[in-house]
Amino acid sequence: MLGSMATAASYRCARCGVRSPVSALTWCCPRCRGPWDLDFEAGPVPLGALSGRAGSLWRYEEALPLSDPYASLGEGRTPLVRLTDTVSAKLDYLMPTLSFKDRGAVLLAELARRLAPHRVVADSSGNAGTAVAAYCARAGLDCTVYVPGTTAPKKLEQIRAHGARPAVVEGDREAAARAARRAADEPGTFYASHVFNPYFLHGTKTYAYELWEDLGGRLPGTLVLPVGNGTLLLGAALAAEELLAHGLIEERPRLVAVQTEAVAPLAAAFRAGAEEVREPAPARATLAEGIAITHPPRARAVLRAVRASGGAFLTVPEDAIRAAQRDLAGRGLFVEPTAAVCWAAVRGARLEGDVVIPLCGAGAKTGLAP
């Protein structure tokens, strides 16, 4: 049984309007192969009633499409610490699997547990795979994670430790995604995709709900967010939309998206005034492997969200990423290179008002960038 909150939701393709019940294992729109959105009406979260609730992201139950989770590992409620007078960092690497991907992975695993597929597949450059592997272990689900050959050995070890099978694919991140999608088309398979399945976005939106709670019922003026597939940014935009609709904030935060100079298809499309990424960007090497996505499936939604917020795109070079990782480590915050890109961008930009950046993945997973 999915539970009353889940059965009120359904999948919908934003491109062509096709719908599907959540109980189906169809992982994308059968007509255009685009990612699903979720038709689900979030309720207002009562700020004054939160203090007595569970210390995890499940405290925002009115806003979530699933309730009473078995698969939870206590994820969420990460600290917010100040870096400068105007910039704070949310330490989302302090999660059960050491990355922000736990926010979405727990909803995917909980949904899969209730649907009881024969197996679960996922694709990842590392962090989403380790998160899905851990939560599938918690939920008692058979899991295979497709990863590119460049995946950090410590992340492969973590996937194996949770009992999942890493399927190493020759080629880049996109090659791993294609292999996972072929497997996802097989009968009885649940595709725990952090890109195509919108339950993941309803998990990542709790990042912004936590900021709203921690700041006493408001959001920062600017959220600076790393963007590859854009799942954290889209989650933050979703939370802002819900909070605004319920009169719980007065205005949306400005969304500033960060990509590397090496792989920046969304930044290029934004600056060109395009609504979509038409062609894949060249697959160049970058220290920030977690956001090296050459052709993001939700590009249109990311571009729309940034523009609607009055936001912008920033790109950072490799030497700035390397320097930012070391600078954060010198402040007691050891994160992986991908998690340092927002600090690299903020250090090189002049952003007005209060700014929050996420530190998304632990440095213990990768070590210092050479």
Side-chain angles (χ1 to χ4, degrees):
M1 297 293 292
L2 288 176
S4 60
M5 294 186 74
T7 54
S10 62
Y11 293 138
R12 174 180 52 82
C13 177
R15 296 178 184 175
C16 56
V18 170
R19 294 179 180 272
S20 172
V22 167
S23 57
L25 294 177
T26 305
W27 60 268
C28 68
C29 172
R31 182 182 297 170
C32 71
R33 304 286 284 185
W36 291 123
D37 284 347
L38 192 68
D39 273 346
F40 162 71
E41 186 174 346
V45 174
L47 183 63
L50 293 176
S51 60
R53 295 188 178 184
S56 71
L57 62 82
W58 297 96
R59 67 200 281 113
Y60 312 111
E61 59 184 358
E62 293 85 356
L64 295 173
L66 292 172
S67 60
D68 301 321
Y70 176 85
S72 176
L73 293 168
E75 55 289 328
R77 299 297 292 141
T78 55
L80 183 66
V81 301
R82 202 166 276 285
L83 295 178
T84 72
D85 289 341
T86 59
V87 180
S88 297
K90 188 161 175 58
L91 310 190
D92 250 30
Y93 67 93
L94 298 180
M95 290 277 194
T97 76
L98 306 182
S99 90
F100 89 96
K101 296 289 176 61
D102 290 7
R103 293 186 183 276
V106 65
L107 267 80
L108 294 182
E110 183 62 26
L111 178 61
R113 185 184 72 84
R114 300 180 192 199
L115 295 174
H118 295 312
R119 65 168 182 162
V120 174
V121 299
D123 60 276
S124 172
S125 60
N127 284 335
T130 59
V132 170
Y135 285 96
C136 281
R138 174 70 169 170
L141 296 165
D142 182 86
C143 180
T144 300
V145 182
Y146 291 81
V147 297
T150 55
T151 300
K154 291 180 180 179
K155 294 180 181 180
L156 291 174
E157 182 181 1
Q158 190 178 0
I159 290 170
R160 292 190 183 98
H162 292 309
R165 292 175 298 280
V168 180
V169 177
E170 290 187 13
D172 59 11
R173 175 67 181 81
E174 293 299 317
R178 289 192 296 271
R181 291 165 196 167
R182 287 193 294 271
D185 285 330
E186 297 176 10
T189 301
F190 179 88
Y191 184 21
S193 173
H194 58 291
V195 182
F196 279 80
N197 193 304
Y199 275 80
F200 195 90
L201 304 181
H202 283 267
T204 60
K205 76 182 181 184
T206 60
Y207 171 87
Y209 272 95
E210 289 178 17
L211 290 175
W212 169 75
E213 181 184 358
D214 289 342
L215 297 176
R218 68 176 184 87
L219 287 175
T222 302
L223 295 178
V224 181
L225 300 153
V227 172
N229 279 307
T231 55
L232 185 55
L233 184 143
L234 290 174
L238 181 59
E241 179 181 338
E242 292 172 354
L243 289 165
L244 191 65
H246 291 300
L248 297 173
I249 57 173
E250 295 183 356
E251 59 183 2
R252 304 171 193 266
R254 182 173 181 246
L255 302 179
V256 175
V258 182
Q259 297 203 287
T260 70
E261 289 184 356
V263 184
L266 288 161
F270 182 86
R271 291 164 184 166
E275 296 182 354
E276 182 63 275
V277 173
R278 298 297 179 187
E279 299 293 335
R284 300 189 181 99
T286 175
L287 295 170
E289 62 178 7
I291 57 171
I293 307 300
T294 61
H295 199 196
R298 293 189 185 269
R300 181 181 293 270
V302 172
L303 293 166
R304 186 188 303 120
V306 173
R307 289 183 174 122
S309 75
F313 271 82
L314 300 174
T315 56
V316 291
E318 300 300 297
D319 58 351
I321 299 171
R322 188 179 292 108
Q325 186 195 27
R326 283 167 166 74
D327 182 78
L328 287 167
R331 297 168 183 260
L333 304 168
F334 185 30
V335 299
E336 62 182 340
T338 300
V341 297
C342 288
W343 183 231
V346 167
R347 293 174 80 199
R350 294 184 178 181
L351 299 176
E352 297 181 358
D354 57 333
V355 176
V356 173
I357 66 172
L359 300 182
C360 295
K365 292 192 171 198
T366 59
L368 277 172

